[in-house]
Each structure stands twice: as structure tokens, then as C-alpha cells.
């Protein structure tokens, strides 16, 4: 992909990802499901060019964080990370299962970081049960979300 074409496509897809991620911040929390679609533009650019994918992920993260720090953190640790991990692993592996597992592991690690290190509850409330059950719930959620 040429640099001009890559930058143009990246700019367009970054703007789509930013708008999709910020829908709940501008409208209502009812539209939080729209944020799941913000991984798609990052995935598309990452599968075409991993270099532009990473740059798009970083640029979209900065733009989202300028408007809403909460949505920016969620993009960095969830949707944006999934888009980059899926796109780059799909670019190099050309497989169906391994990119999903790799992306799920990235998502799992970031959810554990958000939930236990930073202290932001992922599902809106504390996950019930002992720590092992909580980790299994997060791992299962990550695998289902990335599939």
C-alpha cells in the first residue's frame, strides 16, 4: 500500500472509529453497543498494513481521549486493542482460529489490568465469586467477544 493511499484510508477509518466509540458520550448510554463497531475500522486498516494499523490505533486513542477520557481508556484497553490484534495476526497468520485466540488473550490481559490493577469494573459491578472464577469469566468473555 502506498503511503498516500494508506494515510488517506487511515484518516477516514480513524474518523469512523472515533465517531463509533464516542456515540455513548454524545447521545446516551443506551447506544453503548455501537462502541463494539469501533474495532472494525482499526481491524480493516491493520489487515491491510500493520504499520498503519498501529498508527491508526494510537491516533484514534488520542483523539478519543481528548474528547472523553473514559471512552479513550475503554478504546485503548478493549475495542482498539481487539482491532489491532485481530488485524495484525490475520495479516501474518492467514488463519481463522489463531488470530481469535491471540486477540482474546490480548483482551483478557487488558481486562484483567482494567479490573484488578486500575480498579475499573468491566461489567459495571463486581464480578461474583472467588478470583479464579472471576478470571475464568473474563477469559470466557474475551474468547466469545473476539470470535
Amino acid at each position: 500500500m502506498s503511503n498516500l493511499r494508506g494515510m488517506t484510508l487511515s484518516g477516514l477509518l480513524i474518523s469512523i472509529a472515533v465517531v463509533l466509540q464516542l456515540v455513548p458520550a454524545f447521545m446516551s448510554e443506551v447506544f453503548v453497543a455501537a462502541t463494539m463497531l469501533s474495532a472494525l475500522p482499526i481491524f480493516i486498516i491493520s489487515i491491510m498494513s500493520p504499520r498503519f494499523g498501529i498508527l491508526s490505533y494510537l491516533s484514534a486513542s488520542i483523539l478519543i481521549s481528548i474528547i472523553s477520557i473514559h471512552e479513550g481508556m475503554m478504546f485503548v484497553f478493549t475495542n482498539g486493542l481487539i482491532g489491532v490484534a485481530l488485524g495484525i495476526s490475520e495479516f501474518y497468520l492467514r488463519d481463522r482460529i489463531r488470530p481469535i485466540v491471540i486477540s482474546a488473550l490480548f483482551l483478557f490481559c487488558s481486562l484483567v489490568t482494567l479490573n484488578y490493577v486500575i480498579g475499573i469494573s468491566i461489567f459495571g459491578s463486581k464480578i461474583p465469586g472467588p478470583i479464579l472464577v472471576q478470571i475464568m469469566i473474563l477469559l470466557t468473555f474475551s474468547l466469545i467477544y473476539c470470535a
Side-chain angles (χ1 to χ4, degrees), residues 63-141:
L63 289 173
I64 293 167
S65 295
I66 288 171
I67 297 171
S68 171
I69 193 69
H70 177 264
E71 290 298 327
M73 284 183 62
M74 297 311 282
F75 183 79
V76 167
F77 284 105
T78 57
N79 299 329
L81 185 65
I82 290 171
V84 168
L86 270 175
I88 291 176
S89 58
E90 183 81 23
F91 180 83
Y92 287 113
L93 298 177
R94 301 286 182 203
D95 193 357
R96 178 73 180 136
I97 300 298
R98 288 187 294 176
I100 291 173
V101 172
I102 290 169
S103 299
L105 289 175
F106 273 104
L107 178 62
F108 171 71
C109 291
S110 68
L111 290 179
V112 167
T113 302
L114 270 176
N115 209 24
Y116 299 112
V117 176
I118 297 176
I120 297 174
S121 183
I122 304 302
F123 298 115
S125 63
K126 188 175 182 316
I127 302 171
I131 190 76
L132 189 59
V133 172
Q134 294 175 11
I135 288 176
M136 292 306 295
I137 289 171
L138 287 175
L139 184 59
T140 305
F141 173 77

Side-chain angles (χ1 to χ4, degrees), residues 14 18 53-65 75:
I14 287 169
V18 168
I54 292 171
L55 291 173
S56 297
Y57 167 66
L58 295 173
S59 300
S61 301
I62 291 168
L63 289 173
I64 293 167
S65 295
F75 183 79

